[in-house]
Amino acid sequence: MEIYTFSQWVLFFYIYCFLGWVFESVYVSISEKHWVNRGFLKGPFLPIYGFGALCVLVVTIPFRDNLPLMCLAGMASATVLEYVTGAVMEKLFHVRYWDYTGRLLSVNGHICLASVLCWAVMTILVVDVLQVELEKVVLAVNEQIVTVIVFAVTPFVTGDLVTSFRAAIRLRDVLVYLEHAEEELEQLAGRRRELEAALEDRRKELEATLAERRHELETSFEERRSEIEKALGERRHELGTSLEERKTDLEKYLRENGGHVIAPTKGLTDRVAAVQELTDKLSALQEKAGRLSAESELLQRLNGKSIRGLLKRNPKAVSYSHRDAFASLKKRMIRKPDEAKEEQASDESSAD
């Protein structure tokens, strides 16, 4: 292997990033049955393949004359790179952009037997086939032209990396918010059920109390009316001469026994106030739940375009730290082409 300049190394990196993107996009598109611009970046580059190829080229230098050792060294170095990259990305973004969980000999979902064997095949392919041909082409180009190409491509790749990184951070923040909002909504829903049950109990208690008081009042008034009518019947002939005296006695009686009429209403005000307090709390909870839902929708809309693109480029991405929130967000944001066409046709027919 020739001693390459820095610009040549960078150009080789970009070439392998592009070849990796071609391989991944074709493979995933066949699997998904529609075109997928695969990768973390929006452009046609997959950095993991670029770093993996360069890692293989450097590590295998001492073993070029021994195919088994060369294959083993390249496979081991690229596998370690893939595992560390996957673990760091999941720790940083809370999302696993490739996942081998359930595959044979999977290690934390970042590597598996199949990926290890793929790196072994890639080691042979890169060292003995691709690099041989690419080296001829790159070394045949004037070094100044190589430098110009690298300087022309680097800003686009760097900008793409920055925007994709920011999109991944936004996705992480949205997932964290959605999970916290979902937990709070569940707590609010539980509290609302408790308040509704308490409100129903208080309402029933209030209705029972009112019915009881009504009966007592009706009985009390009926008894008093009977007594008064009886008294009036017995002493009607005395009323002409002692009306003023009976009036005084009746007023005195009402003053002394007025508690029988007033007492039944005691406590009703407190119960009514308790029912109103529970109603106000329930309304406040419903308002807070609505506000949380509105904030979640707004957050998703503000970051929707960048997050949607990131999820489309990584259809197999998963999040084990925010499993439910990620699944819900992915379902709302990602639709297959046939589903989008059906929804568009439905909208057009509704408009007609």
Side-chain angles (χ1 to χ4, degrees):
M1 185 179 72
E2 296 284 345
I3 302 300
Y4 307 129
T5 65
F6 177 77
S7 295
Q8 290 170 340
W9 274 115
V10 175
L11 183 57
F12 283 130
F13 170 75
Y14 288 154
I15 291 173
Y16 284 114
C17 285
F18 174 74
L19 294 177
W21 172 83
V22 172
F23 169 75
E24 283 281 339
S25 295
V26 171
Y27 175 78
V28 175
S29 296
I30 293 174
S31 175
E32 295 292 315
K33 297 182 176 58
H34 64 88
W35 172 250
V36 176
N37 176 20
R38 179 74 173 95
F40 184 76
L41 306 181
K42 291 185 288 186
F45 296 98
L46 265 176
I48 185 66
Y49 281 89
F51 285 116
L54 265 58
C55 182
V56 166
L57 289 174
V58 173
V59 170
T60 58
I61 291 176
F63 311 105
R64 295 296 172 83
D65 297 329
N66 190 322
L67 183 61
L69 287 179
M70 181 187 75
C71 184
L72 182 62
M75 177 184 67
S77 60
T79 299
V80 171
L81 174 66
E82 183 177 26
Y83 183 90
V84 172
T85 303
V88 170
M89 289 182 69
E90 183 176 18
K91 182 70 174 179
L92 181 61
F93 302 128
H94 298 185
V95 174
R96 194 174 290 181
Y97 287 94
W98 65 87
D99 183 33
Y100 300 127
T101 301
R103 301 280 187 91
L104 183 61
L105 298 181
S106 170
V107 181
N108 295 329
H110 301 305
I111 59 173
C112 67
L113 179 61
S115 68
V116 172
L117 295 178
C118 283
W119 284 117
V121 173
M122 181 178 173
T123 297
I124 299 174
L125 182 64
V126 167
V127 175
D128 291 340
V129 180
L130 292 176
Q131 187 61 22
V132 174
E133 300 302 323
L134 290 175
E135 183 180 90
K136 294 177 183 178
V137 175
V138 173
L139 293 181
V141 178
N142 185 280
E143 186 177 342
Q144 291 182 345
I145 296 178
V146 171
T147 302
V148 170
I149 294 173
V150 168
F151 271 95
V153 175
T154 298
F156 293 98
V157 176
T158 303
D160 195 350
L161 178 62
V162 171
T163 56
S164 298
F165 182 88
R166 291 175 61 186
I169 293 296
R170 290 193 190 102
L171 174 58
R172 180 199 65 185
D173 294 342
V174 168
L175 290 175
V176 171
Y177 179 84
L178 288 178
E179 186 169 88
H180 290 170
E182 187 64 28
E183 291 176 356
E184 190 167 356
L185 284 173
E186 290 180 0
Q187 294 175 357
L188 290 176
R191 180 59 180 156
R192 183 177 64 184
R193 288 191 293 268
E194 294 176 0
L195 286 175
E196 287 175 345
L199 183 61
E200 186 63 23
D201 291 341
R202 287 298 182 94
R203 184 179 291 111
K204 291 179 179 179
E205 179 183 348
L206 181 58
E207 290 175 352
T209 302
L210 287 173
E212 180 181 350
R213 293 295 186 265
R214 188 185 303 113
H215 177 71
E216 292 178 358
L217 286 172
E218 290 175 351
T219 302
S220 176
F221 279 120
E222 185 65 29
E223 291 176 353
R224 294 307 307 142
R225 188 177 65 179
S226 299
E227 292 178 4
I228 292 173
E229 288 178 351
K230 182 179 180 181
L232 288 174
E234 292 176 352
R235 302 184 180 183
R236 185 176 290 113
H237 62 283
E238 300 177 2
L239 288 177
T241 57
S242 58
L243 180 60
E244 193 63 31
E245 180 182 349
R246 296 305 303 156
K247 179 179 178 182
T248 303
D249 292 341
L250 183 58
E251 289 176 351
K252 179 180 179 182
Y253 178 84
L254 288 174
R255 284 196 303 272
E256 293 175 354
N257 298 277
H260 292 293
V261 177
I262 298 172
T265 63
K266 290 181 178 180
L268 290 181
T269 303
D270 295 338
R271 287 181 171 83
V272 171
V275 171
Q276 185 60 46
E277 181 182 359
L278 290 175
T279 303
D280 294 340
K281 288 182 178 179
L282 183 59
S283 299
L285 287 177
Q286 292 172 338
E287 180 181 353
K288 187 174 183 181
R291 187 170 64 252
L292 282 173
S293 298
E295 289 175 355
S296 298
E297 291 297 329
L298 177 61
L299 189 61
Q300 293 174 48
R301 285 199 300 272
L302 291 176
N303 299 283
K305 186 175 181 180
S306 59
I307 292 176
R308 184 178 294 107
L310 188 61
L311 293 177
K312 282 185 175 181
R313 297 193 298 273
N314 298 274
K316 300 297 184 182
V318 296
S319 175
Y320 290 98
S321 54
H322 309 289
R323 189 189 303 268
D324 294 337
F326 183 80
S328 176
L329 182 65
K330 189 174 181 181
K331 184 177 180 181
R332 288 198 298 268
M333 286 194 163
I334 302 299
R335 295 171 300 170
K336 293 183 178 180
D338 55 346
E339 295 176 348
K341 290 180 181 178
E342 289 178 2
E343 182 172 336
Q344 183 179 1
S346 176
D347 293 341
E348 291 176 354
S349 62
S350 298
D352 295 339

